[in-house]
């Protein structure tokens, strides 16, 4: 399985780029975040023309998550086991070729003194509870998406610039660690020990070209599934060109079980 995740930062604005990337990279499963579309507006037909089934959860505002798959898509669940929940359109799950795949868009948090930061921590706690409650649905589980957390200091361009801000706080990293403790692995770190490789760069101040980024787009796999991974890459080329997303796709190759 070639499993990918990408915060597309408005599918309406970037559908052509996403379709071009899918045609070129041929993922078996693609998780998308920040589609900013309603379920009715989601371009199901465009993906179907490429051989993909789709599941989408969105209300047309700043959130929206999706899974598209060419290896089957069964038992989709939107939200935390209910189509409408207090957390908004931030998680969707489906079974693809025997793997229970989740596309997640973790709240940003804004600042440590913001109520949005507390909302972010509450969402992450609910995610851990949800994954724990649903652990028996499939032996192999993937949680993919924009976590808005850099797991450690290797994952930011300059740790000194991230003191006292979100994405690197002790509480956020502890919340991510609680998810990992359920039996997941940040599969990037299985294959890459180095720092300085990022998946997000601000549009402003030429951050992409200056190398000022963060690795906040993650693929968490249950340990047996992670052991079958053969490579992980971040496709920086998708961040280049005209009107790109500010995120790059993360692509994981998984050998057959």
């Amino acid at each position: 399985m070639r499993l990918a995740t990408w915060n597309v930062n408005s599918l309406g604005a970037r559908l052509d780029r996403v379709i071009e990337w899918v045609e070129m990279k041929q993922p078996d499963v693609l998780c998308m975040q920040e589609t900013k579309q309603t379920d009715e507006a989601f371009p199901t037909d465009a993906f179907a023309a490429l051989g993909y089934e789709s599941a989408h959860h969105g209300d047309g505002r700043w959130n929206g998550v999706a899974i598209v798959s060419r290896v089957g898509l069964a038992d989709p669940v939107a939200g935390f086991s209910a189509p409408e929940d207090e957390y908004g359109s931030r998680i969707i799950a489906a079974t693809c070729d025997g793997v229970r795949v989740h596309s997640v868009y973790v709240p940003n948090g804004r600042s440590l003194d913001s109520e949005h930061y507390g909302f972010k921590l509450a969402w992450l706690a609910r995610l851990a509870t949800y994954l724990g409650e649903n652990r028996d649905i499939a032996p192999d589980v993937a949680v993919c998406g924009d976590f808005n957390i850099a797991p450690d200091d290797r994952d930011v361009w300059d740790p000194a610039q991230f003191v006292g801000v979100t994405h690197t706080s002790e509480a956020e990293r502890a919340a991510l660690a609680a998810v990992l403790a359920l039996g997941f692995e940040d599969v990037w770190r299985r294959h890459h020990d180095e720092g300085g490789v990022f998946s997000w760069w601000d549009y402003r101040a030429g951050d992409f070209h200056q190398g000022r980024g963060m690795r906040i787009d993650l693929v968490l796999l249950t340990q047996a599934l992670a052991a079958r991974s053969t490579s992980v890459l971040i496709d920086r080329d998708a961040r280049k060109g005209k009107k790109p997303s500010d995120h790059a796709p993360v692509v994981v190759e998984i050998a057959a079980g």
Side-chain angles (χ1 to χ4, degrees), residues 200-234:
W200 175 87
W201 303 259
D202 200 316
Y203 287 124
R204 295 169 293 183
D207 279 5
F208 179 69
H209 300 289
Q210 297 296 324
R212 296 190 292 262
M214 295 190 288
R215 187 178 72 91
I216 57 176
D217 299 273
L218 312 178
V219 176
L220 311 185
L221 302 180
T222 43
Q223 291 171 355
L225 190 60
R228 287 165 38 203
S229 66
T230 59
S231 68
V232 187
L233 64 85
I234 296 173

PDB file of all heavy atoms in Angstrom, residues 200-234:
ATOM      1  N   TRP A 200       5.636  21.584   6.581  1.00  0.00           N
ATOM      2  CA  TRP A 200       4.867  22.838   6.547  1.00  0.00           C
ATOM      3  C   TRP A 200       5.823  24.011   6.616  1.00  0.00           C
ATOM      4  O   TRP A 200       6.791  23.991   7.394  1.00  0.00           O
ATOM      5  CB  TRP A 200       3.888  22.926   7.714  1.00  0.00           C
ATOM      6  CG  TRP A 200       3.172  24.247   7.793  1.00  0.00           C
ATOM      7  CD1 TRP A 200       2.008  24.604   7.164  1.00  0.00           C
ATOM      8  CD2 TRP A 200       3.591  25.411   8.520  1.00  0.00           C
ATOM      9  NE1 TRP A 200       1.680  25.909   7.452  1.00  0.00           N
ATOM     10  CE2 TRP A 200       2.633  26.421   8.282  1.00  0.00           C
ATOM     11  CE3 TRP A 200       4.687  25.701   9.334  1.00  0.00           C
ATOM     12  CZ2 TRP A 200       2.738  27.690   8.834  1.00  0.00           C
ATOM     13  CZ3 TRP A 200       4.795  26.970   9.882  1.00  0.00           C
ATOM     14  CH2 TRP A 200       3.815  27.950   9.647  1.00  0.00           C
ATOM     15  N   TRP A 201       5.526  25.017   5.799  1.00  0.00           N
ATOM     16  CA  TRP A 201       6.265  26.270   5.784  1.00  0.00           C
ATOM     17  C   TRP A 201       5.265  27.410   5.621  1.00  0.00           C
ATOM     18  O   TRP A 201       4.393  27.361   4.746  1.00  0.00           O
ATOM     19  CB  TRP A 201       7.245  26.320   4.614  1.00  0.00           C
ATOM     20  CG  TRP A 201       8.231  25.206   4.564  1.00  0.00           C
ATOM     21  CD1 TRP A 201       9.540  25.218   4.957  1.00  0.00           C
ATOM     22  CD2 TRP A 201       8.003  23.885   4.037  1.00  0.00           C
ATOM     23  NE1 TRP A 201      10.129  24.006   4.724  1.00  0.00           N
ATOM     24  CE2 TRP A 201       9.207  23.159   4.160  1.00  0.00           C
ATOM     25  CE3 TRP A 201       6.893  23.232   3.482  1.00  0.00           C
ATOM     26  CZ2 TRP A 201       9.343  21.837   3.750  1.00  0.00           C
ATOM     27  CZ3 TRP A 201       7.018  21.909   3.079  1.00  0.00           C
ATOM     28  CH2 TRP A 201       8.236  21.230   3.202  1.00  0.00           C
ATOM     29  N   ASP A 202       5.396  28.455   6.410  1.00  0.00           N
ATOM     30  CA  ASP A 202       4.518  29.616   6.288  1.00  0.00           C
ATOM     31  C   ASP A 202       4.676  30.231   4.894  1.00  0.00           C
ATOM     32  O   ASP A 202       5.767  30.218   4.312  1.00  0.00           O
ATOM     33  CB  ASP A 202       4.885  30.643   7.363  1.00  0.00           C
ATOM     34  CG  ASP A 202       3.769  31.634   7.639  1.00  0.00           C
ATOM     35  OD1 ASP A 202       3.153  32.122   6.668  1.00  0.00           O
ATOM     36  OD2 ASP A 202       3.507  31.919   8.818  1.00  0.00           O
ATOM     37  N   TYR A 203       3.581  30.768   4.381  1.00  0.00           N
ATOM     38  CA  TYR A 203       3.646  31.462   3.090  1.00  0.00           C
ATOM     39  C   TYR A 203       4.495  32.729   3.165  1.00  0.00           C
ATOM     40  O   TYR A 203       5.056  33.171   2.165  1.00  0.00           O
ATOM     41  CB  TYR A 203       2.232  31.858   2.632  1.00  0.00           C
ATOM     42  CG  TYR A 203       1.369  30.725   2.148  1.00  0.00           C
ATOM     43  CD1 TYR A 203       0.122  30.486   2.735  1.00  0.00           C
ATOM     44  CD2 TYR A 203       1.756  29.910   1.100  1.00  0.00           C
ATOM     45  CE1 TYR A 203      -0.706  29.472   2.283  1.00  0.00           C
ATOM     46  CE2 TYR A 203       0.941  28.886   0.644  1.00  0.00           C
ATOM     47  CZ  TYR A 203      -0.291  28.672   1.232  1.00  0.00           C
ATOM     48  OH  TYR A 203      -1.101  27.673   0.783  1.00  0.00           O
ATOM     49  N   ARG A 204       4.559  33.325   4.343  1.00  0.00           N
ATOM     50  CA  ARG A 204       5.163  34.638   4.478  1.00  0.00           C
ATOM     51  C   ARG A 204       6.692  34.559   4.553  1.00  0.00           C
ATOM     52  O   ARG A 204       7.263  33.553   4.955  1.00  0.00           O
ATOM     53  CB  ARG A 204       4.628  35.334   5.734  1.00  0.00           C
ATOM     54  CG  ARG A 204       3.137  35.638   5.671  1.00  0.00           C
ATOM     55  CD  ARG A 204       2.595  36.070   7.023  1.00  0.00           C
ATOM     56  NE  ARG A 204       2.622  34.974   7.995  1.00  0.00           N
ATOM     57  CZ  ARG A 204       2.151  35.064   9.221  1.00  0.00           C
ATOM     58  NH1 ARG A 204       1.640  36.202   9.646  1.00  0.00           N
ATOM     59  NH2 ARG A 204       2.183  34.032  10.042  1.00  0.00           N
ATOM     60  N   ALA A 205       7.317  35.650   4.165  1.00  0.00           N
ATOM     61  CA  ALA A 205       8.757  35.883   4.389  1.00  0.00           C
ATOM     62  C   ALA A 205       9.653  34.852   3.716  1.00  0.00           C
ATOM     63  O   ALA A 205      10.801  34.667   4.115  1.00  0.00           O
ATOM     64  CB  ALA A 205       9.056  35.931   5.898  1.00  0.00           C
ATOM     65  N   GLY A 206       9.136  34.173   2.686  1.00  0.00           N
ATOM     66  CA  GLY A 206       9.961  33.206   1.979  1.00  0.00           C
ATOM     67  C   GLY A 206      10.414  32.036   2.829  1.00  0.00           C
ATOM     68  O   GLY A 206      11.513  31.485   2.631  1.00  0.00           O
ATOM     69  N   ASP A 207       9.588  31.635   3.786  1.00  0.00           N
ATOM     70  CA  ASP A 207      10.006  30.589   4.719  1.00  0.00           C
ATOM     71  C   ASP A 207      10.363  29.277   4.024  1.00  0.00           C
ATOM     72  O   ASP A 207      11.290  28.573   4.443  1.00  0.00           O
ATOM     73  CB  ASP A 207       8.901  30.338   5.750  1.00  0.00           C
ATOM     74  CG  ASP A 207       8.923  31.355   6.879  1.00  0.00           C
ATOM     75  OD1 ASP A 207       9.728  32.307   6.802  1.00  0.00           O
ATOM     76  OD2 ASP A 207       8.145  31.195   7.836  1.00  0.00           O
ATOM     77  N   PHE A 208       9.636  28.924   2.975  1.00  0.00           N
ATOM     78  CA  PHE A 208       9.940  27.666   2.281  1.00  0.00           C
ATOM     79  C   PHE A 208      11.359  27.690   1.718  1.00  0.00           C
ATOM     80  O   PHE A 208      12.140  26.751   1.909  1.00  0.00           O
ATOM     81  CB  PHE A 208       8.923  27.427   1.175  1.00  0.00           C
ATOM     82  CG  PHE A 208       9.169  26.165   0.380  1.00  0.00           C
ATOM     83  CD1 PHE A 208       8.990  24.912   0.966  1.00  0.00           C
ATOM     84  CD2 PHE A 208       9.594  26.230  -0.936  1.00  0.00           C
ATOM     85  CE1 PHE A 208       9.221  23.750   0.233  1.00  0.00           C
ATOM     86  CE2 PHE A 208       9.831  25.069  -1.667  1.00  0.00           C
ATOM     87  CZ  PHE A 208       9.647  23.831  -1.080  1.00  0.00           C
ATOM     88  N   HIS A 209      11.703  28.768   1.039  1.00  0.00           N
ATOM     89  CA  HIS A 209      13.018  28.848   0.405  1.00  0.00           C
ATOM     90  C   HIS A 209      14.130  29.059   1.425  1.00  0.00           C
ATOM     91  O   HIS A 209      15.288  28.704   1.162  1.00  0.00           O
ATOM     92  CB  HIS A 209      13.015  29.975  -0.634  1.00  0.00           C
ATOM     93  CG  HIS A 209      12.001  29.762  -1.716  1.00  0.00           C
ATOM     94  ND1 HIS A 209      12.134  28.785  -2.686  1.00  0.00           N
ATOM     95  CD2 HIS A 209      10.812  30.372  -1.967  1.00  0.00           C
ATOM     96  CE1 HIS A 209      11.094  28.815  -3.498  1.00  0.00           C
ATOM     97  NE2 HIS A 209      10.272  29.761  -3.085  1.00  0.00           N
ATOM     98  N   GLN A 210      13.777  29.581   2.598  1.00  0.00           N
ATOM     99  CA  GLN A 210      14.763  29.785   3.663  1.00  0.00           C
ATOM    100  C   GLN A 210      14.885  28.572   4.588  1.00  0.00           C
ATOM    101  O   GLN A 210      15.704  28.579   5.509  1.00  0.00           O
ATOM    102  CB  GLN A 210      14.393  31.028   4.481  1.00  0.00           C
ATOM    103  CG  GLN A 210      14.409  32.329   3.689  1.00  0.00           C
ATOM    104  CD  GLN A 210      15.788  32.692   3.187  1.00  0.00           C
ATOM    105  OE1 GLN A 210      16.786  32.458   3.871  1.00  0.00           O
ATOM    106  NE2 GLN A 210      15.859  33.259   1.993  1.00  0.00           N
ATOM    107  N   GLY A 211      14.053  27.571   4.373  1.00  0.00           N
ATOM    108  CA  GLY A 211      14.136  26.359   5.199  1.00  0.00           C
ATOM    109  C   GLY A 211      13.557  26.521   6.584  1.00  0.00           C
ATOM    110  O   GLY A 211      13.907  25.764   7.497  1.00  0.00           O
ATOM    111  N   ARG A 212      12.643  27.477   6.764  1.00  0.00           N
ATOM    112  CA  ARG A 212      12.046  27.708   8.079  1.00  0.00           C
ATOM    113  C   ARG A 212      10.693  27.000   8.137  1.00  0.00           C
ATOM    114  O   ARG A 212       9.658  27.571   7.763  1.00  0.00           O
ATOM    115  CB  ARG A 212      11.890  29.213   8.337  1.00  0.00           C
ATOM    116  CG  ARG A 212      13.212  29.952   8.410  1.00  0.00           C
ATOM    117  CD  ARG A 212      13.036  31.374   8.900  1.00  0.00           C
ATOM    118  NE  ARG A 212      12.328  32.195   7.926  1.00  0.00           N
ATOM    119  CZ  ARG A 212      12.904  33.020   7.066  1.00  0.00           C
ATOM    120  NH1 ARG A 212      14.225  33.129   7.030  1.00  0.00           N
ATOM    121  NH2 ARG A 212      12.170  33.744   6.227  1.00  0.00           N
ATOM    122  N   GLY A 213      10.694  25.771   8.579  1.00  0.00           N
ATOM    123  CA  GLY A 213       9.475  24.978   8.580  1.00  0.00           C
ATOM    124  C   GLY A 213       9.322  24.135   9.825  1.00  0.00           C
ATOM    125  O   GLY A 213      10.090  24.244  10.788  1.00  0.00           O
ATOM    126  N   MET A 214       8.300  23.278   9.790  1.00  0.00           N
ATOM    127  CA  MET A 214       8.031  22.333  10.867  1.00  0.00           C
ATOM    128  C   MET A 214       7.547  21.014  10.256  1.00  0.00           C
ATOM    129  O   MET A 214       6.918  21.017   9.191  1.00  0.00           O
ATOM    130  CB  MET A 214       6.936  22.848  11.816  1.00  0.00           C
ATOM    131  CG  MET A 214       7.286  24.092  12.584  1.00  0.00           C
ATOM    132  SD  MET A 214       6.043  24.456  13.880  1.00  0.00           S
ATOM    133  CE  MET A 214       4.670  25.003  12.871  1.00  0.00           C
ATOM    134  N   ARG A 215       7.805  19.936  10.938  1.00  0.00           N
ATOM    135  CA  ARG A 215       7.215  18.641  10.562  1.00  0.00           C
ATOM    136  C   ARG A 215       6.022  18.410  11.473  1.00  0.00           C
ATOM    137  O   ARG A 215       6.155  17.976  12.605  1.00  0.00           O
ATOM    138  CB  ARG A 215       8.230  17.502  10.691  1.00  0.00           C
ATOM    139  CG  ARG A 215       7.690  16.164  10.136  1.00  0.00           C
ATOM    140  CD  ARG A 215       8.729  15.068  10.225  1.00  0.00           C
ATOM    141  NE  ARG A 215       8.939  14.623  11.596  1.00  0.00           N
ATOM    142  CZ  ARG A 215       8.279  13.635  12.186  1.00  0.00           C
ATOM    143  NH1 ARG A 215       7.336  12.963  11.539  1.00  0.00           N
ATOM    144  NH2 ARG A 215       8.551  13.304  13.444  1.00  0.00           N
ATOM    145  N   ILE A 216       4.846  18.705  10.955  1.00  0.00           N
ATOM    146  CA  ILE A 216       3.624  18.577  11.751  1.00  0.00           C
ATOM    147  C   ILE A 216       2.603  17.644  11.096  1.00  0.00           C
ATOM    148  O   ILE A 216       1.545  17.385  11.673  1.00  0.00           O
ATOM    149  CB  ILE A 216       2.983  19.949  12.019  1.00  0.00           C
ATOM    150  CG1 ILE A 216       2.665  20.698  10.719  1.00  0.00           C
ATOM    151  CG2 ILE A 216       3.887  20.787  12.920  1.00  0.00           C
ATOM    152  CD1 ILE A 216       1.942  22.029  10.922  1.00  0.00           C
ATOM    153  N   ASP A 217       2.908  17.175   9.889  1.00  0.00           N
ATOM    154  CA  ASP A 217       2.028  16.239   9.193  1.00  0.00           C
ATOM    155  C   ASP A 217       2.586  14.833   9.418  1.00  0.00           C
ATOM    156  O   ASP A 217       3.702  14.519   8.977  1.00  0.00           O
ATOM    157  CB  ASP A 217       1.971  16.579   7.704  1.00  0.00           C
ATOM    158  CG  ASP A 217       1.426  17.982   7.482  1.00  0.00           C
ATOM    159  OD1 ASP A 217       0.191  18.114   7.391  1.00  0.00           O
ATOM    160  OD2 ASP A 217       2.241  18.935   7.428  1.00  0.00           O
ATOM    161  N   LEU A 218       1.811  14.015  10.108  1.00  0.00           N
ATOM    162  CA  LEU A 218       2.321  12.755  10.625  1.00  0.00           C
ATOM    163  C   LEU A 218       1.504  11.576  10.123  1.00  0.00           C
ATOM    164  O   LEU A 218       0.318  11.707   9.822  1.00  0.00           O
ATOM    165  CB  LEU A 218       2.288  12.753  12.162  1.00  0.00           C
ATOM    166  CG  LEU A 218       2.871  13.983  12.883  1.00  0.00           C
ATOM    167  CD1 LEU A 218       2.709  13.809  14.392  1.00  0.00           C
ATOM    168  CD2 LEU A 218       4.331  14.202  12.511  1.00  0.00           C
ATOM    169  N   VAL A 219       2.167  10.422  10.057  1.00  0.00           N
ATOM    170  CA  VAL A 219       1.497   9.150   9.821  1.00  0.00           C
ATOM    171  C   VAL A 219       1.848   8.249  11.003  1.00  0.00           C
ATOM    172  O   VAL A 219       3.007   7.884  11.194  1.00  0.00           O
ATOM    173  CB  VAL A 219       1.936   8.501   8.499  1.00  0.00           C
ATOM    174  CG1 VAL A 219       1.298   7.125   8.340  1.00  0.00           C
ATOM    175  CG2 VAL A 219       1.572   9.390   7.320  1.00  0.00           C
ATOM    176  N   LEU A 220       0.842   7.941  11.802  1.00  0.00           N
ATOM    177  CA  LEU A 220       1.009   7.047  12.949  1.00  0.00           C
ATOM    178  C   LEU A 220       0.452   5.680  12.570  1.00  0.00           C
ATOM    179  O   LEU A 220      -0.701   5.574  12.141  1.00  0.00           O
ATOM    180  CB  LEU A 220       0.268   7.588  14.175  1.00  0.00           C
ATOM    181  CG  LEU A 220       0.499   9.054  14.554  1.00  0.00           C
ATOM    182  CD1 LEU A 220      -0.231   9.375  15.858  1.00  0.00           C
ATOM    183  CD2 LEU A 220       1.984   9.388  14.666  1.00  0.00           C
ATOM    184  N   LEU A 221       1.264   4.656  12.717  1.00  0.00           N
ATOM    185  CA  LEU A 221       0.856   3.305  12.360  1.00  0.00           C
ATOM    186  C   LEU A 221       0.986   2.392  13.564  1.00  0.00           C
ATOM    187  O   LEU A 221       1.897   2.557  14.393  1.00  0.00           O
ATOM    188  CB  LEU A 221       1.748   2.741  11.240  1.00  0.00           C
ATOM    189  CG  LEU A 221       1.817   3.518   9.928  1.00  0.00           C
ATOM    190  CD1 LEU A 221       2.745   2.803   8.948  1.00  0.00           C
ATOM    191  CD2 LEU A 221       0.437   3.708   9.322  1.00  0.00           C
ATOM    192  N   THR A 222       0.069   1.432  13.676  1.00  0.00           N
ATOM    193  CA  THR A 222       0.252   0.399  14.689  1.00  0.00           C
ATOM    194  C   THR A 222       1.566  -0.325  14.393  1.00  0.00           C
ATOM    195  O   THR A 222       2.042  -0.365  13.252  1.00  0.00           O
ATOM    196  CB  THR A 222      -0.935  -0.570  14.693  1.00  0.00           C
ATOM    197  OG1 THR A 222      -1.302  -0.886  13.342  1.00  0.00           O
ATOM    198  CG2 THR A 222      -2.129   0.042  15.401  1.00  0.00           C
ATOM    199  N   GLN A 223       2.145  -0.911  15.428  1.00  0.00           N
ATOM    200  CA  GLN A 223       3.540  -1.329  15.327  1.00  0.00           C
ATOM    201  C   GLN A 223       3.785  -2.410  14.274  1.00  0.00           C
ATOM    202  O   GLN A 223       4.792  -2.367  13.547  1.00  0.00           O
ATOM    203  CB  GLN A 223       4.030  -1.767  16.704  1.00  0.00           C
ATOM    204  CG  GLN A 223       4.132  -0.571  17.657  1.00  0.00           C
ATOM    205  CD  GLN A 223       4.404  -0.957  19.091  1.00  0.00           C
ATOM    206  OE1 GLN A 223       4.442  -2.125  19.446  1.00  0.00           O
ATOM    207  NE2 GLN A 223       4.587   0.042  19.940  1.00  0.00           N
ATOM    208  N   ALA A 224       2.877  -3.361  14.150  1.00  0.00           N
ATOM    209  CA  ALA A 224       3.065  -4.396  13.131  1.00  0.00           C
ATOM    210  C   ALA A 224       2.980  -3.805  11.726  1.00  0.00           C
ATOM    211  O   ALA A 224       3.713  -4.215  10.818  1.00  0.00           O
ATOM    212  CB  ALA A 224       2.027  -5.502  13.303  1.00  0.00           C
ATOM    213  N   LEU A 225       2.104  -2.830  11.551  1.00  0.00           N
ATOM    214  CA  LEU A 225       1.989  -2.166  10.254  1.00  0.00           C
ATOM    215  C   LEU A 225       3.227  -1.314   9.981  1.00  0.00           C
ATOM    216  O   LEU A 225       3.756  -1.305   8.859  1.00  0.00           O
ATOM    217  CB  LEU A 225       0.727  -1.309  10.228  1.00  0.00           C
ATOM    218  CG  LEU A 225       0.300  -0.713   8.891  1.00  0.00           C
ATOM    219  CD1 LEU A 225       0.020  -1.805   7.871  1.00  0.00           C
ATOM    220  CD2 LEU A 225      -0.943   0.169   9.075  1.00  0.00           C
ATOM    221  N   ALA A 226       3.707  -0.606  10.990  1.00  0.00           N
ATOM    222  CA  ALA A 226       4.924   0.199  10.837  1.00  0.00           C
ATOM    223  C   ALA A 226       6.113  -0.674  10.455  1.00  0.00           C
ATOM    224  O   ALA A 226       6.977  -0.267   9.667  1.00  0.00           O
ATOM    225  CB  ALA A 226       5.209   0.957  12.127  1.00  0.00           C
ATOM    226  N   ALA A 227       6.152  -1.886  11.009  1.00  0.00           N
ATOM    227  CA  ALA A 227       7.263  -2.797  10.705  1.00  0.00           C
ATOM    228  C   ALA A 227       7.272  -3.210   9.238  1.00  0.00           C
ATOM    229  O   ALA A 227       8.323  -3.595   8.704  1.00  0.00           O
ATOM    230  CB  ALA A 227       7.187  -4.028  11.597  1.00  0.00           C
ATOM    231  N   ARG A 228       6.116  -3.121   8.583  1.00  0.00           N
ATOM    232  CA  ARG A 228       6.030  -3.458   7.161  1.00  0.00           C
ATOM    233  C   ARG A 228       6.330  -2.273   6.255  1.00  0.00           C
ATOM    234  O   ARG A 228       6.388  -2.421   5.035  1.00  0.00           O
ATOM    235  CB  ARG A 228       4.642  -4.012   6.838  1.00  0.00           C
ATOM    236  CG  ARG A 228       4.424  -5.420   7.361  1.00  0.00           C
ATOM    237  CD  ARG A 228       2.972  -5.834   7.378  1.00  0.00           C
ATOM    238  NE  ARG A 228       2.204  -5.365   6.236  1.00  0.00           N
ATOM    239  CZ  ARG A 228       0.872  -5.221   6.249  1.00  0.00           C
ATOM    240  NH1 ARG A 228       0.184  -5.508   7.358  1.00  0.00           N
ATOM    241  NH2 ARG A 228       0.242  -4.803   5.180  1.00  0.00           N
ATOM    242  N   SER A 229       6.501  -1.087   6.835  1.00  0.00           N
ATOM    243  CA  SER A 229       6.816   0.089   6.018  1.00  0.00           C
ATOM    244  C   SER A 229       8.227  -0.050   5.466  1.00  0.00           C
ATOM    245  O   SER A 229       9.142  -0.512   6.140  1.00  0.00           O
ATOM    246  CB  SER A 229       6.677   1.376   6.833  1.00  0.00           C
ATOM    247  OG  SER A 229       7.652   1.433   7.860  1.00  0.00           O
ATOM    248  N   THR A 230       8.386   0.355   4.221  1.00  0.00           N
ATOM    249  CA  THR A 230       9.695   0.256   3.573  1.00  0.00           C
ATOM    250  C   THR A 230      10.323   1.619   3.313  1.00  0.00           C
ATOM    251  O   THR A 230      11.546   1.706   3.144  1.00  0.00           O
ATOM    252  CB  THR A 230       9.586  -0.517   2.247  1.00  0.00           C
ATOM    253  OG1 THR A 230       8.661   0.150   1.378  1.00  0.00           O
ATOM    254  CG2 THR A 230       9.108  -1.947   2.501  1.00  0.00           C
ATOM    255  N   SER A 231       9.523   2.668   3.270  1.00  0.00           N
ATOM    256  CA  SER A 231      10.069   4.009   3.086  1.00  0.00           C
ATOM    257  C   SER A 231       9.011   5.044   3.449  1.00  0.00           C
ATOM    258  O   SER A 231       7.815   4.766   3.420  1.00  0.00           O
ATOM    259  CB  SER A 231      10.534   4.232   1.637  1.00  0.00           C
ATOM    260  OG  SER A 231       9.433   4.250   0.747  1.00  0.00           O
ATOM    261  N   VAL A 232       9.500   6.229   3.776  1.00  0.00           N
ATOM    262  CA  VAL A 232       8.633   7.392   4.026  1.00  0.00           C
ATOM    263  C   VAL A 232       9.323   8.605   3.416  1.00  0.00           C
ATOM    264  O   VAL A 232      10.535   8.792   3.597  1.00  0.00           O
ATOM    265  CB  VAL A 232       8.405   7.657   5.530  1.00  0.00           C
ATOM    266  CG1 VAL A 232       7.364   8.751   5.720  1.00  0.00           C
ATOM    267  CG2 VAL A 232       7.998   6.402   6.265  1.00  0.00           C
ATOM    268  N   LEU A 233       8.553   9.415   2.706  1.00  0.00           N
ATOM    269  CA  LEU A 233       9.125  10.641   2.160  1.00  0.00           C
ATOM    270  C   LEU A 233       8.140  11.786   2.300  1.00  0.00           C
ATOM    271  O   LEU A 233       6.927  11.580   2.401  1.00  0.00           O
ATOM    272  CB  LEU A 233       9.537  10.469   0.702  1.00  0.00           C
ATOM    273  CG  LEU A 233       8.471  10.173  -0.347  1.00  0.00           C
ATOM    274  CD1 LEU A 233       7.809  11.454  -0.879  1.00  0.00           C
ATOM    275  CD2 LEU A 233       9.067   9.410  -1.519  1.00  0.00           C
ATOM    276  N   ILE A 234       8.683  12.988   2.327  1.00  0.00           N
ATOM    277  CA  ILE A 234       7.887  14.217   2.263  1.00  0.00           C
ATOM    278  C   ILE A 234       8.153  14.832   0.904  1.00  0.00           C
ATOM    279  O   ILE A 234       9.300  15.127   0.555  1.00  0.00           O
ATOM    280  CB  ILE A 234       8.259  15.179   3.403  1.00  0.00           C
ATOM    281  CG1 ILE A 234       7.924  14.549   4.764  1.00  0.00           C
ATOM    282  CG2 ILE A 234       7.519  16.510   3.239  1.00  0.00           C
ATOM    283  CD1 ILE A 234       8.399  15.360   5.963  1.00  0.00           C
TER     284      ILE A 234
END
